[in-house]
């Protein structure tokens, strides 16, 4: 029996999924895959083939879910349908927070307060068919559509296999997808599968306010999260020239990195934004009249096809320029102070700029690798911090062992890292996209635009072909967390690379209190569009 095929049925399914308040890191994020397992376990197919439906544990108690439906012809060819079920928080809903996970009730309330809504939202409420709520767009509608495709596969719709993969933690660190990679590899071997392609169901993103286009994607944008650890020289506030304040160091560094146009990249109509700071603070834990000894900044850097080595070099150059400007600034201010305090003199101070691997090598040189490993293992065993703060702590520990190098700026990297990936030139993906465009125009009079890069970040980054020939060793050797409670699985990624594409629903305002899904396109037209895409991905080649 099929339960998720009509617009009404899909809307009901989506509402039930949104009711599960699966905010990343919450207990409901643990409960949702169990709910999905319960739904699917009621299908006769999985009662007959229980080994094809599985919950797979992450190392923190969460689960990802796989559901395999094999075609009757016993072909190896398989399409992976990828989604994530976690969502961001709901603090931004304000007085509507208690309705954020009740889409029908929230939508009715939005209609009641339409005069208080932004103009664009108000207009769409009047003209369209929308469902509001956290996760309606990003991305439980995509998951609902994939469940619908799974039902079709059970009914024998596809000449090939469908593997549904839905994961937690996409909104934070993508630990769900990283955990899924060896799971997919094992399924590939044990079930004798050939992965033709992975289709994601992330919603389409507008490129500018009022953008009328509807998009499909053949790749996903990349992201690195560089951190700069600034180790100054502490001093009493009455003797500011006796040290260098790391907060001052950060201010010069920010001028070099924040919005730096040299990082902007354009591929066709896609343009990456320049870097922005996501974290900037000193590491002093309590108030005193001593200046801080260290400070930290982390930056969001997006890229399309730039080699990682090029990005790293730009970051290093920015840090080096900041260091020279800090030295000049301190000398200038000291000279002005000396004009007033005639008996004052200040020794020259050089700011060292290091990569994390250089700091690590220096610490090993001084204390031996065994001691460094012991210290890092101890920190890992006592860890209470998240990935960003713990990365900083690992750098800080090494810097304290080499404090004679201060003042210094240390460049390192923290999770999450999303490789830029693209199947834009893949013959299979090109043919599928061309077919789907013609099908959609012919049947629904809708023009779909193929864009190379999905710009919202996605888990396709860990399974698609890299958009550049970058070697990731430079990244992992400068990632303090690598092998310290975290492993970026380069080897598994290389073994599992496959063509990728993203065909998802239409909505607006992801991660905002006005997040909403347009139901006519998403649940009236899109199921048939995705069905046609899967047929094409599984089509036998003569």
């Amino acid at each position: 029996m099929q339960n998720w095929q009509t617009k009404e049925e899909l809307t009901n399914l989506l509402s039930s999924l949104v009711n599960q308040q699966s905010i990343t890191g919450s207990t409901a994020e643990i409960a949702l895959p169990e709910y999905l397992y319960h739904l699917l376990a009621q299908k006769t197919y999985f009662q007959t083939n229980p080994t094809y439906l599985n919950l797979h544990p992450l190392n923190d108690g969460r689960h990802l879910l796989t559901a395999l439906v094999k075609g009757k012809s016993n072909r190896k060819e398989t399409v992976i349908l990828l989604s994530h079920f976690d969502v961001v928080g709901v603090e931004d809903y304000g007085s509507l927070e208690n309705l954020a996970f009740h889409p029908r009730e929230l939508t009715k309330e939005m209609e009641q307060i339409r005069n208080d809504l932004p103009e664009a939202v108000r207009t769409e409420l009047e003209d369209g068919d929308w469902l509001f709520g956290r996760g309606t767009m990003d991305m439980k509608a995509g998951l609902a559509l994939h469940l619908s495709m799974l039902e079709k596969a059970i009914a024998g719709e596809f000449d090939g296999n469908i593997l549904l993969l839905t994961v937690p933690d996409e909104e934070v660190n993508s630990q769900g997808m990283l955990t899924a990679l060896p799971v997919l590899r094992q399924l590939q071997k044990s079930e004798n599968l050939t992965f033709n392609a992975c289709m994601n169901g992330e919603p389409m993103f507008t490129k500018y306010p009022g953008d009328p286009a509807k998009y499909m994607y053949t790749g996903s944008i990349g992201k690195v999260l560089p951190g700069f650890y600034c180790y100054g020289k502490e001093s009493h506030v009455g003797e500011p020239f006796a040290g260098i304040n790391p907060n001052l160091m950060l201010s010069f560094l920010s001028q070099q990195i924040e919005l730096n146009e040299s990082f902007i990249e354009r591929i066709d109509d896609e343009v990456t934004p320049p870097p922005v700071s996501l974290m900037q603070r000193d590491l002093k834990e309590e108030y005193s009249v001593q200046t801080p000894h260290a400070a930290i900044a982390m930056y969001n850097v997006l890229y399309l096809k730039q080699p990682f080595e090029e990005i790293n070099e730009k970051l290093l150059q920015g840090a080096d320029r900041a260091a020279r400007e800090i030295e000049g600034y301190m000398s200038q201010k000291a000279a002005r102070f000396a004009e007033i305090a005639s008996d004052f003199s200040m020794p020259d101070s050089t700011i060292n700029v290091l990569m994390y691997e250089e700091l690590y090598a220096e610490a090993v040189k001084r204390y031996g690798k065994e001691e460094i490993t012991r210290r890092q293992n101890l920190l890992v065993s006592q860890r209470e911090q998240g990935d960003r703060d713990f990365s900083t702590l690992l750098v800080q520990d090494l810097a304290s062992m080499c404090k004679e190098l201060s003042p210094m700026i240390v460049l390192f990297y923290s999770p999450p890292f999303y490789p830029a990936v693209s199947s834009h030139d893949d013959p299979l993906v090109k043919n599928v996209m061309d077919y789907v465009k013609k099908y959609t125009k012919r049947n629904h009079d809708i023009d779909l635009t193929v864009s190379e890069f999905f710009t919202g970040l996605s888990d396709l980054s860990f399974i698609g072909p890299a958009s550049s020939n970058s070697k990731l060793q430079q990244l992992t050797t400068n990632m303090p967390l690598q092998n310290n409670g975290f492993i970026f699985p380069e080897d598994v990624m290389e073994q599992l690379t496959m063509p990728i594409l993203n065909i998802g629903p239409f909505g607006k305002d992801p991660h905002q209190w006005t997040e909403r899904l347009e139901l006519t396109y998403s649940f009236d037209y899109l199921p048939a569009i995705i069905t046609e895409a899967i047929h094409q991905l599984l089509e036998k080649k003569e």
Side-chain angles (χ1 to χ4, degrees), residues 373-439:
T373 301
R374 183 194 68 80
R375 291 175 69 103
Q376 291 190 333
N377 287 343
L378 179 62
L379 290 174
V380 170
S381 70
Q382 298 174 341
R383 176 178 171 176
E384 296 179 350
Q385 304 88 342
D387 285 352
R388 266 65 61 190
D389 288 339
F390 191 63
S391 295
T392 301
L393 179 61
L394 289 169
V395 179
Q396 181 171 314
D397 188 60
L398 293 181
S400 67
M401 300 174 74
C402 305
K403 85 177 286 183
E404 293 82 9
L405 295 177
S406 64
M408 63 177 130
I409 299 174
V410 182
L411 170 59
F412 66 98
Y413 294 93
S414 172
F417 167 61
Y418 291 85
V421 289
S422 174
S423 290
H424 199 63
D425 296 323
D426 182 90
L428 174 63
V429 173
K430 286 173 71 73
N431 289 338
V432 171
M433 290 305 200
D434 288 343
Y435 181 91
V436 169
K437 283 182 64 176
K438 293 174 184 176
Y439 171 87

Side-chain angles (χ1 to χ4, degrees), residues 195-231:
F195 293 142
N196 282 27
C198 179
M199 182 192 297
N200 203 355
E202 289 277 10
M204 60 185 76
F205 276 39
T206 56
K207 293 189 176 182
Y208 55 87
D211 180 6
K214 289 184 169 61
Y215 296 96
M216 302 183 292
Y217 305 92
T218 57
S220 193
I221 199 170
K223 166 182 172 167
V224 292
L225 185 64
F228 292 91
Y229 180 83
C230 295
Y231 197 142

Side-chain angles (χ1 to χ4, degrees), residues 178 220-224 303-304 416-422 453 457-467 472 475 488 493:
L178 292 173
S220 193
I221 199 170
K223 166 182 172 167
V224 292
Y303 74 102
L304 302 174
F417 167 61
Y418 291 85
V421 289
S422 174
F453 292 98
L457 296 175
S458 80
D459 283 334
L460 286 177
S461 282
F462 306 105
I463 206 166
S467 64
L472 297 182
L475 171 83
F488 190 79
M493 287 171 59

Side-chain angles (χ1 to χ4, degrees), residues 323-333:
R324 305 294 79 81
E325 289 188 3
I326 296 164
E327 293 166 0
Y329 180 84
M330 290 293 293
S331 295
Q332 180 190 38
K333 295 302 180 183

Side-chain angles (χ1 to χ4, degrees), residues 172-284:
V172 178
N173 285 330
S174 284
Q175 285 291 342
M177 190 61 193
L178 292 173
T179 303
L181 296 178
V183 171
L184 291 176
R185 184 71 174 143
Q186 180 58 39
L187 275 171
Q188 187 181 41
K189 292 179 179 179
S190 63
E191 300 299 334
N192 194 25
L193 306 177
T194 297
F195 293 142
N196 282 27
C198 179
M199 182 192 297
N200 203 355
E202 289 277 10
M204 60 185 76
F205 276 39
T206 56
K207 293 189 176 182
Y208 55 87
D211 180 6
K214 289 184 169 61
Y215 296 96
M216 302 183 292
Y217 305 92
T218 57
S220 193
I221 199 170
K223 166 182 172 167
V224 292
L225 185 64
F228 292 91
Y229 180 83
C230 295
Y231 197 142
K233 284 191 173 182
E234 62 271 20
S235 67
H236 190 280
V237 293
E239 299 179 303
F241 294 104
I244 293 184
N245 193 326
N247 286 333
L248 176 70
M249 297 168 70
L250 277 190
S251 70
F252 278 89
L253 183 65
S254 183
Q255 293 179 57
Q256 292 296 327
I257 305 298
E258 185 93 9
L259 304 181
N260 185 326
E261 64 276 7
S262 73
F263 290 88
I264 297 173
E265 189 178 2
R266 177 169 185 165
I267 304 293
D268 296 326
D269 293 331
E270 204 63 66
V271 180
T272 61
V276 294
S277 173
L278 296 180
M279 176 194 294
Q280 185 168 306
R281 63 172 184 262
D282 66 57
L283 301 178
K284 188 176 176 181

Side-chain angles (χ1 to χ4, degrees), residues 284-302:
K284 188 176 176 181
E285 296 183 357
E286 57 188 28
Y287 174 80
S288 74
V289 292
Q290 184 187 55
T291 59
H293 73 281
I296 181 72
M298 290 187 178
Y299 293 87
N300 188 76
V301 179
L302 300 174

